[in-house]
Amino acid sequence: MIEKDRYLLVLIRYIHENPVKAGLVAQAREYEGSSDRYYRRGKGPEWLDLDVVLPLFGRGRKVAVSRYRRFMGEKEAES
């Protein structure tokens, strides 16, 4: 199960970083078609189940969001 969780996290980062690597945006959260901004906020549309990924970063939404941001390479928390 740990291997599956790790692989899911690798995929999340890969998918969210693709627009950056392609030169479409400077930061993943800027890409309109990305769910990255929802993970960073800890809230999203009904169709996006954040509770599949965020708990992998820790207990409690605030902690999980903070750790997700760090995972994605953010140096300081957004306000």
Side-chain angles (χ1 to χ4, degrees):
M1 189 146 151
I2 291 174
E3 289 298 315
K4 290 180 182 181
D5 290 348
R6 281 187 172 181
Y7 186 62
L8 175 59
L9 295 179
V10 168
L11 289 176
I12 290 288
R13 186 182 327 200
Y14 174 79
I15 290 167
H16 288 161
E17 287 293 325
N18 267 338
V20 175
K21 290 177 183 173
L24 300 173
V25 293
Q27 298 176 335
R29 67 177 161 258
E30 297 170 352
Y31 189 66
E32 193 174 316
S34 176
S35 59
D36 176 73
R37 65 184 174 275
Y38 301 125
Y39 285 99
R40 290 174 187 276
R41 288 186 207 138
K43 302 184 206 184
E46 194 172 304
W47 56 263
L48 179 62
D49 188 359
L50 298 175
D51 291 329
V52 171
V53 173
L54 285 179
L56 298 175
F57 290 98
R59 296 179 98 181
R61 186 62 53 115
K62 188 174 182 177
V63 169
V65 167
S66 177
R67 289 179 181 168
Y68 171 82
R69 290 175 175 175
R70 262 185 286 160
F71 172 76
M72 290 300 294
E74 186 172 299
K75 303 294 185 228
E76 297 178 29
E78 299 171 357
S79 49

